[in-house]
Amino acid sequence: MNQDAYIPPPDTSNEEARLEELFGLQLLDSASELRFDRYTSLVASVFGFPIVLVSLVDRERQWFKSRLGWNRTQCPRDISFCGHTINEESLMVVPDTYDDPRFAGNPLVAGEPYIRFYAGAVVRGPGGHALGTLCLLDHQPRYFDEEHRTRLRQFADLIENEIAHTAHLIALKDAIADSAYYDPLTRLPNRQLLMDRLDQLLKLAMTEHFQVALLLFNVTGLRLINQSLGTGGGDELLLQLAGRLQSHCPEGGSVARLQADEFVLVFPAKNESHRKSVTREIHQALQRPYHCGEQEHYVGVRIGGSLFTSQGESAETLVAQASAAIRVSPESLTEPVQYFEDAHSDALSEALRIESCLKGAVAREEFHLLYQPIFSLNTGEMVGVEALLRWQSPALGEITPDRFIPLAEQGGQILPIGKWVRGEVCRQLQRWCLDPDWDISVAVNVSPAEMLQPTFAEEVLNRLELAQIPERLLRIEITEYSLVRNNEVVEQNLTRLRARDIQINIDDFGTGYSSLSYLRRMPVSSLKIDRSFIDSLPASEDGVTITRTIIEMAKALGLDQVAEGIENPAQLAFLHGERCTYGQGYLLSHPLPPEEIPALRKTTAGKAL
């Protein structure tokens, strides 16, 4: 026996991972706990040992979570017995330290606590790493039989259960904290954490005198996206959108998800040029197609903005102002972001009044229809009419469709309004069809939400059958946005309607996300060229190019073309020269009440434009 020598314990083979689990459990240097102290007392009485320790092996030390019979709270790792034990599979027993070359000269043998016997069972964490031991020490050599080893192992298992309980509590606490501050889907900060971060950024902005920009992103039609792709598909698109916002967030900025369909990005703006550059890049990134499965999809996003210090005074104020800007302003064609202005407060109040009056407007019979004639640009004859919805509110007066239709779509009122429109059109067609030679069709606008109703086509066909109206006299007008949803329900509705001789028009063509693949696959009859292109004819070279391209493309696909918004002879002459099929607009006829349509039909028969 060499009483001057000892062997320090080696590191474990997975030392860093072991320490990471140990530190994560937050047991080191923690207060004494009765649940561990009870075990050390019980083990001492069962085995009859003077010293019992629950030991945790740190990087440079061994620290005692619970101890009985030794006043020290820790000792260096390089002289610890437990440092050796954690390299074992389950237990380490040293019957007599004088006979073991690893410990004969150990200071803990030669001095306090004068260890002559040691037995330690490895205590592991929930991750399987050895954290320390439950160990027994004696001042005399001892015999430790198999039954003693089994019992010590069982007590060590109980200690492990207590540590696992600690891990569970930490995980539960972290989960609660996480749910309080982070969105569970995107893992972005939620509203509460955003407000905390934004408050800090605003305080810094006041001190350092820089501007803070807040952008609020509203995903238009999220409910329709979920109906179209399923919740899983909708979540996938939102994750992609969140990723694009994060990848374009400037240094010092933050991205958050406020609620299901709203995201926020805040950032310090160096100057106006920097702010515009950032917003332009983000807008372009969000306009790119998204992918779900093997399909491309487009997500409509409107952006409202507010600025500190020129406008907002607090985090809540900035968010409210951006929300107001996005709520009452249509998205600009030149600037991707609508920033808050004082006028938006009044506009928001008006929008809230319109929403309130809109509820029940159908039941109160406040709506009526006008019919705008559609003419053949070749013969000059009236070939159809478009049903235009008008609302005369007793409380608000006449409200134009561009003011109430978006609010109806947001609030879910568009479905009952759409049913009323189709019912009224059928009633009017019944009256017109008393003339056995009636051949003027009626085009009815249908919202994306209606197209996603599985029973839409059945409802339309049933109405026509009950009213005994020829199906060819009804046209359905949908937006490009309805098509790019790539939804099976939309396609089934359109296919069933087209099979029954109902024409399908694409309204406002050229302003959305058209794809030739959609036009070729869907049973489309005609394209309506948006009035924004017609307005600039024939002076604008871009307008001429776009309009001419749409006409030529439609002809190549075998589709009719309808130019809307014709208001002067120069526009009509250009469209006539391009051999556009049909046209409508104030130059040809204003929208008319239904009783004036038959007379106009007679006067235009055989009359060239």
Side-chain angles (χ1 to χ4, degrees):
M1 178 185 68
N2 182 355
Q3 295 186 349
D4 295 325
Y6 74 95
I7 300 175
D11 285 344
T12 60
S13 59
N14 54 357
E15 183 69 5
E16 290 306 316
R18 185 191 74 81
L19 289 171
E20 182 179 355
E21 181 172 14
L22 175 62
F23 299 155
L25 289 166
Q26 303 171 23
L27 289 170
L28 288 170
D29 299 310
S30 60
S32 175
E33 294 183 67
L34 182 60
R35 59 191 177 121
F36 290 105
D37 293 342
R38 282 174 174 170
Y39 282 116
T40 52
S41 296
L42 180 60
V43 170
S45 64
V46 169
F47 287 94
F49 276 78
I51 300 174
V52 179
L53 306 170
V54 175
S55 170
L56 299 174
V57 181
D58 198 351
R59 190 182 300 275
E60 302 291 341
R61 61 172 178 158
Q62 134 179 286
W63 182 80
F64 307 130
K65 175 60 181 173
S66 181
R67 66 189 189 277
L68 186 150
W70 195 14
N71 290 330
R72 291 180 65 175
T73 60
Q74 63 183 32
C75 74
R77 179 175 175 175
D78 65 348
I79 62 172
S80 71
F81 282 59
C82 296
H84 289 273
T85 304
I86 61 174
N87 283 284
E88 302 292 333
E89 183 66 28
S90 180
L91 293 98
M92 185 182 80
V93 178
V94 183
D96 188 343
T97 56
Y98 284 180
D99 295 336
D100 194 316
R102 294 175 296 175
F103 306 109
N106 190 297
L108 299 179
V109 175
E112 285 288 342
Y114 301 104
I115 302 173
R116 288 293 302 277
F117 173 87
Y118 172 90
V122 178
V123 172
R124 299 183 184 277
H129 298 103
L131 308 177
T133 70
L134 170 62
C135 63
L136 312 175
L137 310 179
D138 203 344
H139 309 299
Q140 302 295 329
R142 296 188 61 153
Y143 173 70
F144 209 66
D145 61 22
E146 194 62 36
E147 182 179 352
H148 288 141
R149 292 169 183 260
T150 299
R151 287 186 178 181
L152 181 59
R153 180 66 259 166
Q154 290 171 341
F155 278 113
D157 290 343
L158 294 175
I159 297 295
E160 288 183 353
N161 289 339
E162 292 296 336
I163 292 176
H165 178 64
T166 298
H168 176 72
L169 291 177
I170 291 174
L172 183 61
K173 179 181 177 181
D174 289 344
I176 292 173
D178 186 77
S179 64
Y181 293 104
Y182 291 91
D183 173 57
L185 172 65
T186 63
R187 308 308 304 154
L188 292 176
N190 61 13
R191 185 185 190 95
Q192 182 172 342
L193 183 54
L194 170 73
M195 292 305 176
D196 289 343
R197 291 183 177 180
L198 184 52
D199 279 335
Q200 296 302 316
L201 184 59
L202 297 184
K203 290 177 182 177
L204 183 62
M206 292 179 66
T207 303
E208 302 293 334
H209 305 291
F210 60 81
Q211 190 179 71
V212 175
L214 183 146
L215 305 179
L216 189 148
F217 304 85
N218 179 263
V219 182
T220 58
L222 180 59
R223 180 170 54 87
L224 300 182
I225 292 174
N226 288 332
Q227 288 179 353
S228 175
L229 303 177
T231 303
D235 287 349
E236 175 58 32
L237 297 192
L238 291 177
L239 284 170
Q240 293 179 36
L241 188 149
R244 295 182 190 184
L245 291 178
Q246 286 181 295
S247 65
H248 287 83
C249 182
E251 184 179 355
S254 184
V255 180
R257 189 185 186 194
L258 287 194
Q259 52 188 2
D261 59 352
E262 284 189 347
F263 294 80
V264 163
L265 186 150
V266 296
F267 65 97
K270 299 175 183 178
N271 48 51
E272 184 177 4
S273 176
H274 173 245
R275 172 170 58 82
K276 288 186 176 181
S277 174
V278 169
T279 55
R280 191 161 44 248
E281 289 179 7
I282 292 173
H283 182 251
Q284 291 172 351
L286 297 183
Q287 283 190 313
R288 296 198 308 268
Y290 297 76
H291 296 86
C292 182
E294 298 180 355
Q295 301 292 337
E296 284 190 352
H297 300 271
Y298 290 85
V299 176
V301 181
R302 299 180 65 199
I303 310 175
S306 56
L307 302 174
F308 180 89
T309 58
S310 61
Q311 295 164 351
E313 297 179 353
S314 68
E316 288 288 353
T317 300
L318 286 176
V319 172
Q321 290 176 340
S323 180
I326 206 172
R327 185 95 180 264
V328 302
S329 299
E331 188 171 348
S332 171
L333 294 177
T334 56
E335 290 295 330
V337 180
Q338 296 297 321
Y339 282 96
F340 175 80
E341 300 173 358
D342 291 338
H344 287 151
S345 295
D346 294 335
L348 180 59
S349 298
E350 180 190 36
L352 294 174
R353 289 196 300 271
I354 291 175
E355 280 186 340
S356 177
C357 293
L358 194 58
K359 297 176 181 178
V362 171
R364 295 190 298 269
E365 299 182 349
E366 296 174 5
F367 293 112
H368 67 279
L369 296 180
L370 295 179
Y371 295 87
Q372 183 165 37
I374 301 171
F375 297 88
S376 167
L377 297 187
N378 181 35
T379 67
E381 293 182 318
M382 182 173 67
V383 295
V385 293
E386 179 183 359
L388 301 177
L389 182 62
R390 297 293 183 261
W391 179 26
Q392 186 69 33
S393 168
L396 303 175
E398 184 175 353
I399 308 296
T400 57
D402 62 313
R403 292 165 64 197
F404 73 82
I405 291 296
L407 297 175
E409 290 177 334
Q410 294 172 17
Q413 299 297 314
I414 198 66
L415 294 180
I417 291 175
K419 283 187 177 181
W420 179 87
V421 169
R422 291 189 294 278
E424 184 63 22
V425 165
C426 285
R427 284 187 288 272
Q428 185 56 56
L429 275 170
Q430 268 187 315
R431 290 189 283 270
W432 283 335
C433 284
L434 293 176
D435 178 351
D437 297 325
W438 187 264
D439 58 357
I440 301 298
S441 62
V442 180
V444 178
N445 290 282
V446 177
S447 74
E450 294 175 283
M451 290 305 305
L452 284 168
Q453 304 303 308
T455 59
F456 174 77
E458 181 181 359
E459 180 253 322
V460 170
L461 294 171
N462 286 342
R463 282 185 181 274
L464 293 172
E465 183 177 357
L466 287 174
Q468 296 184 326
I469 298 169
E471 291 154 347
R472 60 182 172 78
L473 294 182
L474 184 69
R475 286 177 172 260
I476 296 297
E477 290 198 354
I478 61 175
T479 62
E480 293 178 77
Y481 189 55
S482 296
L483 285 186
V484 299
R485 311 199 67 75
N486 200 23
N487 180 267
E488 186 177 347
V489 173
V490 174
E491 188 168 353
Q492 288 175 348
N493 276 326
L494 294 179
T495 300
R496 186 173 182 191
L497 292 172
R498 191 68 189 91
R500 296 285 290 273
D501 207 24
I502 294 178
Q503 305 292 305
I504 309 297
N505 300 342
I506 305 301
D507 197 14
D508 299 335
F509 186 79
T511 62
Y513 307 102
S514 293
S515 167
L516 288 177
S517 63
Y518 297 134
L519 296 179
R520 292 174 59 187
R521 189 176 74 249
M522 294 293 190
V524 176
S525 311
S526 63
L527 305 180
K528 294 192 73 173
I529 307 171
D530 186 65
R531 67 184 309 122
S532 62
F533 303 127
I534 306 300
D535 283 344
S536 60
L537 295 178
S540 168
E541 184 176 341
D542 288 343
V544 167
T545 300
I546 293 173
T547 303
R548 182 175 289 149
T549 300
I550 293 174
I551 293 173
E552 291 176 354
M553 182 189 69
K555 289 178 179 178
L557 293 171
L559 305 177
D560 290 330
Q561 318 94 51
V562 183
E564 57 182 4
I566 302 173
E567 296 187 353
N568 63 62
Q571 294 169 343
L572 179 60
F574 172 83
L575 294 166
H576 192 276
E578 295 297 322
R579 304 183 69 179
C580 181
T581 317
Y582 304 116
Q584 65 185 99
Y586 283 4
L587 177 67
L588 307 179
S589 174
H590 282 64
L592 301 173
E595 59 270 18
E596 296 184 23
I597 296 298
L600 183 61
R601 172 184 175 236
K602 291 179 181 179
T603 59
T604 62
K607 179 181 178 182
L609 292 174

